[in-house]
Amino acid sequence: MSEFRLLGPVTVCDTAGGVIAPSGPKQRALLATLVLHAGQLLSVDRLVEELWGSAPPVNASNALQAHVARLRRLLPAPGHEWISTLPTGYLLAPGRASTDVARFTRLSGQGRAALPHDPGQAAQLLQRALSLWRGPALQDSRHGPLCTAEADRLEEQRLTALEALYEASLQCGRSTGITAGLERLSADHPLRERFYDLLMLALYRGGRQAEALGVYERARRHLITTLGIEPGPALRARLEAILNHCPTLTPPPHQTPPPSLHQHPSPTGRSHPSGPLHPSGPARSRGDRTDPMALPAPACAADPPALSPLTGPAASATSAGMTGPVASAGLTGPGASVGVPAGSPGGAGLVAPAAGAGCSDLTGSAGPTGSVDLTDLGDSAGFADPAGVAGSADLAGELAHLRARIEELARDQQDLLRRIQRDQAVH
């Protein structure tokens, strides 16, 4: 059975397994438009607008007829007439042929439906769905309004499936192996709050609470700068739960492990873990960039270890550079205490709330915030002093970058704590 493939370069897979690729962009756009509206009559005017826009050739109907004739010769035709000519336009009869779009829609829908009760099965279905993507939807075929609108719709479905896949992995107790993919997705799609939300949860479950708070601040800055709005209720609730170490942040026990998230190129040219893929055909857009990240299969059958405060030099060095004596920057009060202990040597930690503290109540006042002192970074954070590295420029440059990152994250943390202080003063 033949299959029309639109999730990437527009091609046709014949019954023998061969791949048929239209030679030019107009041919690909015409095939994609007819397949997307299979069984429907498309008028000559709509097809001319799709192929040439506002600048059609002098005899557009004859040019369109020539493209249809070439497409008829290209398609496999044993006993089946694919394209019919009607008085007012053209119609593609799919017969028993399928499309990768239909397969993706079916698998991703099944995966999202299975997510609430069987996240392991949901992850498998969603990975199978996402593995069908070979590049941007309708690649090199988005010349007119019909294909452009469909490509945008399919891209939205792909992102929704990725959100569901990462949520399924988190529900199975997997957090340490998925943060890199979520970092890239939040950078590629900075206005989608769901990716920030999932990244904050993954970082928190990995014991990286300071980085999770930094993600919220990054999202908030971008939303305010770009749209002039604050983060939505879901992201604010995630921040509050993390600040209070809410027990609902821990994953449910005894879930079926999802399959390992393999790398495959996303339509943006980046690698995202979402299923095995061995692409064939034209090169991917924006180059082939694959990250050397092997993601182990999660162990969902066991309960995750309890999160402990980030204290001490070693913990500080692994917490997104939230190091240096950011002393005593915390929230204090009768119900909960969330802060950075001054006693940690160069550390930045989060203190768990007192027993019985609510997940939605932030009370108390903030303590004084210390300054970040980078003079002792080499000793306190386990980095070598750059003066003793025998003139290694690479290491010195890397250390300078880390110090700048530490300063930025420390400022983010201080801004966040000051904002919490103001909110508490108001309420």
Side-chain angles (χ1 to χ4, degrees), residues 29 32-33 36-37 49-50 137-138 140-156:
T33 305
L36 290 171
H37 298 83
E49 181 186 11
E50 188 69 19
L138 307 174
D140 299 329
S141 304
R142 291 172 285 183
H143 297 284
L146 297 178
C147 285
T148 299
E150 182 64 15
D152 292 341
R153 185 187 71 84
L154 290 170
E155 174 63 8
E156 177 63 27

Side-chain angles (χ1 to χ4, degrees), residues 11-62:
T11 59
V12 183
C13 183
D14 61 24
T15 54
V19 176
I20 302 170
S23 57
K26 293 284 193 296
Q27 290 277 295
R28 292 192 290 270
L30 176 59
L31 177 60
T33 305
L34 290 170
V35 171
L36 290 171
H37 298 83
Q40 304 175 30
L41 172 65
L42 289 174
S43 67
V44 171
D45 291 341
R46 290 188 73 185
L47 290 172
V48 168
E49 181 186 11
E50 188 69 19
L51 297 187
W52 290 285
S54 59
V58 176
N59 199 337
S61 59
N62 285 350

Side-chain angles (χ1 to χ4, degrees), residues 18-284:
V19 176
I20 302 170
S23 57
K26 293 284 193 296
Q27 290 277 295
R28 292 192 290 270
L30 176 59
L31 177 60
T33 305
L34 290 170
V35 171
L36 290 171
H37 298 83
Q40 304 175 30
L41 172 65
L42 289 174
S43 67
V44 171
D45 291 341
R46 290 188 73 185
L47 290 172
V48 168
E49 181 186 11
E50 188 69 19
L51 297 187
W52 290 285
S54 59
V58 176
N59 199 337
S61 59
N62 285 350
L64 176 62
Q65 186 178 11
H67 280 297
V68 171
R70 294 192 197 101
L71 203 55
R72 282 193 178 116
R73 290 194 296 269
L74 185 67
L75 295 175
H80 182 70
E81 182 181 359
W82 292 100
I83 304 174
S84 301
T85 303
L86 301 174
T88 58
Y90 298 92
L91 178 146
L92 184 139
R96 298 180 60 192
S98 62
T99 67
D100 57 356
V101 172
R103 283 203 291 153
F104 169 76
T105 302
R106 185 184 74 255
L107 289 169
S108 59
Q110 292 172 349
R112 292 194 303 272
L115 183 58
H117 56 85
D118 192 348
Q121 176 68 11
Q124 293 181 12
L125 291 166
L126 290 164
Q127 285 192 14
R128 286 174 56 194
L130 289 162
S131 71
L132 297 173
W133 286 73
R134 298 165 291 114
L138 307 174
Q139 185 174 333
D140 299 329
S141 304
R142 291 172 285 183
H143 297 284
L146 297 178
C147 285
T148 299
E150 182 64 15
D152 292 341
R153 185 187 71 84
L154 290 170
E155 174 63 8
E156 177 63 27
Q157 289 188 357
R158 185 187 73 88
L159 295 175
T160 301
L162 277 170
E163 291 171 348
L165 174 62
Y166 281 101
E167 182 179 354
S169 298
L170 284 167
Q171 285 192 22
C172 285
R174 181 178 193 168
S175 58
T176 57
I178 65 175
T179 54
L182 285 169
E183 285 278 10
R184 286 190 296 274
L185 285 167
S186 63
D188 289 344
H189 308 280
L191 299 181
R192 292 186 76 95
E193 293 188 33
R194 183 59 173 152
F195 286 135
Y196 292 117
D197 184 17
L198 294 168
L199 177 57
M200 290 172 66
L201 180 58
L203 289 170
Y204 178 84
R205 288 181 177 176
R208 300 157 67 181
Q209 296 96 322
E211 288 181 78
L213 296 176
V215 169
Y216 178 86
E217 183 60 27
R218 171 159 54 94
R220 179 179 179 274
R221 275 204 311 266
H222 195 92
L223 289 169
I224 290 177
T225 302
T226 306
L227 302 177
I229 61 174
E230 291 280 346
L235 205 58
R236 293 199 304 270
R238 183 73 74 194
L239 170 68
E240 186 173 322
I242 288 175
L243 288 171
N244 283 279
H245 294 265
C246 185
T248 59
L249 295 176
T250 58
H254 310 304
Q255 295 288 350
T256 303
S260 180
L261 298 184
H262 301 286
Q263 290 294 110
H264 79 82
S266 78
T268 62
R270 296 173 181 251
S271 296
H272 295 311
S274 56
L277 180 63
H278 306 284
S280 59
R284 295 160 235 154

